[in-house]
Amino acid sequence: QVQLVESGGGLVQPGGSLRLSCAASGFTFSRKYMSWYRQAPGKERELVAFISSNGDSTNYADSVKGRFTISRDNAKNTVYLQMNSLKPEDTALYYCNIMSSRYWGQGTQVTVSS
């Protein structure tokens, strides 16, 4: 019954921006920490950011700190990842996750290239 559906990925030039969305259902969204992970080909899955249940606490990987912002709208059961100043090394499949759980979305592809 738990569903996480990512959207917003695409092809963007270096220095550009994208906003990813994750629409959640099947659980009490407002009680859960949420996280974004990414996985590039040949690399391990990497925690990008997470956010507390009410949105008052966030954490970021050093590689994205200052460029990415995680946020959530509990009224819409949606978590977002605003990605600015994108670099080619940000290219990956981005996944939404109920923090520390077995529940994942299907992923949305982000490609940063000229």
Side-chain angles (χ1 to χ4, degrees):
Q1 191 175 356
V2 171
Q3 292 186 66
L4 300 169
V5 181
E6 302 97 333
S7 61
L11 175 63
V12 65
Q13 294 191 120
S17 297
L18 285 172
R19 188 169 84 149
L20 308 184
S21 298
C22 173
S25 61
F27 65 101
T28 306
F29 179 79
S30 61
R31 294 182 182 174
K32 299 293 186 180
Y33 278 54
M34 299 296 295
S35 60
W36 286 96
Y37 283 76
R38 66 186 183 187
Q39 188 165 27
K43 302 194 74 175
E44 292 188 358
R45 188 170 56 194
E46 174 189 29
L47 177 65
V48 175
F50 67 82
I51 187 166
S52 61
S53 56
N54 66 1
D56 64 359
S57 181
T58 59
N59 191 80
Y60 300 91
D62 287 342
S63 58
V64 308
K65 203 167 294 179
R67 300 187 297 120
F68 290 13
T69 303
I70 189 170
S71 62
R72 67 193 295 159
D73 186 340
N74 285 351
K76 294 183 177 180
N77 282 9
T78 302
V79 61
Y80 305 96
L81 187 68
Q82 178 67 46
M83 305 185 295
N84 298 326
S85 302
L86 282 161
K87 304 174 180 179
E89 49 263 50
D90 296 318
T91 295
L93 191 61
Y94 283 72
Y95 295 95
C96 180
N97 165 242
I98 302 174
M99 187 70 179
S100 302
S101 84
R102 66 183 176 93
Y103 298 106
W104 300 85
Q106 83 288 352
T108 186
Q109 178 67 39
V110 172
T111 302
V112 185
S113 177
S114 299

